[in-house]
Amino acid sequence: MSTVTIQVDVDVDDILEAMTPKQTARLKDALEFGDNERQAAIDACAAIRRGDTMDALTILELEFFPKYMSEAAANEAYRKAMSG
């Protein structure tokens, strides 16, 4: 297995100027964190500072990329896994 590193230089001003007002509004909404998201970011930063990158990734994945969209869906998946 090999590692490939790519460096990309992006001028953010060019991107923002090219965005439509609707895209800009969607970006603004996406960047506004609620209390749970803010706490997840704080917890992930703390994990990174103590050198625990796996914990940091797990915290961010659970908050921003959950496998199940509701507690009920997670419980149902658990029940199915345990019954079979």
Side-chain angles (χ1 to χ4, degrees), residues 3-81:
T3 301
V4 176
T5 303
I6 299 173
Q7 180 176 343
V8 178
D9 292 320
V10 177
D11 187 348
V12 176
D13 288 335
D14 289 344
I15 294 172
L16 293 175
E17 288 173 8
M19 293 174 67
T20 65
K22 185 177 181 179
Q23 289 171 323
T24 304
R26 287 180 61 203
L27 177 62
K28 178 185 173 291
D29 290 342
L31 293 176
E32 289 181 358
F33 288 151
D35 291 339
N36 290 343
E37 292 91 353
R38 186 177 308 280
Q39 189 59 51
I42 290 168
D43 293 345
C45 287
I48 291 168
R49 285 190 182 108
R50 69 175 180 267
D52 197 344
T53 54
M54 289 308 295
D55 265 2
L57 287 171
T58 301
I59 290 166
L60 294 173
E61 286 173 346
L62 288 173
E63 185 62 40
F64 295 103
F65 307 108
K67 185 171 183 177
Y68 303 102
M69 297 311 290
S70 69
E71 186 176 344
N75 288 334
E76 180 62 25
Y78 176 77
R79 279 193 292 279
K80 284 181 182 178

